[in-house]
Amino acid sequence: MLPHTQDWHVETVLKRDVFGEVERIACGAERAVCRQALGSRIPGSRWVSRLLMRREARALGRLQPVEGVPVLRKDLEDRVRDALPRSRGRILVRSWIPGIALQDTNELPRDFFDHLDRLLEAIHAAGICHNDLHKEQNILLGDDGFPHLLDFQLASLHRRDSRSFRTRCREDLRHLHKHRDRYLRHMPGSSAPTPASSPAPDLRRSWQARFWKRLVKPLYNHTLRRMLRWSEDEHRRPRQG
């Protein structure tokens, strides 16, 4: 028997930003994650939040056969929408993956990044680029001991023979390579940070990434932090960690 609508409730807020909230919701022993496209006082933010939600839904819909990414729970959306008073009609419900974010881990399986390479390879094989792997909180060490990737708001769908697909794949790989190199730099025999079967990616930023870092990101940060007094929660492990 399906749980009663009113049994669903917000257990904890996982993330809150200019585009809305991500919450862990519960109904008895069942857990799920709900993204609410609430927007903020920034003009147009609700429209952007809904656009990002549609991107995430399309990406996860195509990735459902891939293990290591959240599963869309469209079967729960109506019941969760009715149960959450602030939902305002636009939500995305996905599976809850128990685990710990990469920057909060104290130990990692020795083959963690090898499995992560294979997971990203499967995502790219589906014609999807994540586009937000520089954030360590989007990489999860699951309770099952395997890596999982979260937050597909910025994910893009491509034809696999397109130039933009190759460029964005390279950016995904570059960020993954940086994480691998950083986390394994003190391990014996870690001088070759990529497995023999995977050639080291081109670590040079694409022109799009250089344009964002040098021109767009400073303006974006200035608008959020100084003009709107809003700060993104991008918790990272300290460099000496």
Side-chain angles (χ1 to χ4, degrees):
M1 180 178 296
L2 296 175
H4 190 274
T5 300
Q6 298 304 319
D7 291 339
W8 283 101
H9 62 278
V10 175
E11 198 169 53
T12 184
V13 176
L14 302 173
K15 179 181 178 181
R16 181 181 288 116
D17 59 21
V18 296
F19 302 121
E21 292 182 359
V22 180
E23 304 152 337
R24 186 176 68 202
I25 57 177
C27 179
E30 188 173 7
R31 299 288 184 276
V33 174
C34 176
R35 182 184 297 280
Q36 299 199 52
L38 302 174
S40 64
R41 66 178 183 272
I42 300 177
S45 61
R46 185 178 299 182
W47 177 83
V48 173
S49 68
R50 293 177 178 180
L51 175 65
L52 295 176
M53 180 179 289
R54 288 195 295 271
R55 289 173 67 110
E56 182 169 26
R58 286 198 301 268
L60 291 181
R62 184 180 289 190
L63 289 173
Q64 292 311 276
V66 177
E67 294 187 11
V69 300
V71 176
L72 278 178
R73 295 298 308 272
K74 288 184 175 294
D75 58 306
L76 297 179
E77 284 188 2
D78 289 339
R79 300 200 300 275
V80 171
R81 184 183 294 111
D82 292 340
L84 301 182
R86 295 186 62 208
S87 64
R88 304 177 195 172
R90 299 298 177 95
I91 65 171
L92 180 146
V93 183
R94 64 167 176 82
S95 61
W96 162 250
I97 302 174
I100 183 170
L102 179 61
Q103 78 273 5
D104 294 324
T105 55
N106 294 317
E107 294 182 339
L108 287 172
R110 186 172 290 269
D111 59 356
F112 178 83
F113 286 99
D114 293 339
H115 285 293
L116 189 54
D117 283 335
R118 288 191 281 271
L119 173 55
L120 186 59
E121 182 180 351
I123 290 172
H124 287 169
I128 293 176
C129 297
H130 188 282
N131 300 322
D132 206 16
L133 290 181
H134 73 284
K135 295 181 181 178
E136 292 173 272
Q137 61 263 41
N138 290 339
I139 303 173
L140 186 77
L141 170 62
D143 287 354
D144 58 5
F146 289 94
H148 300 262
L149 292 180
L150 309 175
D151 196 352
F152 284 77
Q153 281 193 108
L154 298 181
S156 52
L157 282 65
H158 301 266
R159 295 196 327 271
R160 295 190 60 194
D161 60 349
S162 67
R163 182 176 179 180
S164 62
F165 178 63
R166 294 192 297 271
T167 298
R168 295 192 181 194
C169 281
R170 190 168 66 247
E171 284 297 308
D172 278 353
L173 291 169
R174 184 175 67 83
H175 289 303
L176 221 60
H177 182 90
K178 288 173 63 178
H179 292 315
R180 174 193 281 269
D181 195 31
R182 181 183 180 200
Y183 276 79
L184 301 186
R185 67 181 183 269
H186 297 305
M187 283 183 58
S190 63
S191 57
T194 54
S197 59
S198 301
D202 186 350
L203 298 184
R204 295 172 298 177
R205 287 189 176 92
S206 65
W207 71 265
Q208 296 95 328
R210 294 195 301 270
F211 178 79
W212 166 263
K213 183 176 178 63
R214 295 178 183 178
L215 298 177
V216 180
K217 190 171 183 179
L219 178 61
Y220 173 79
N221 288 336
H222 175 77
T223 302
L224 285 184
R225 297 173 184 174
R226 298 195 176 183
M227 297 178 62
L228 300 173
R229 302 185 182 279
W230 191 294
S231 178
E232 281 193 311
D233 183 17
E234 275 194 41
H235 174 55
R236 297 185 180 184
R237 186 186 296 274
R239 288 189 175 273
Q240 68 274 18

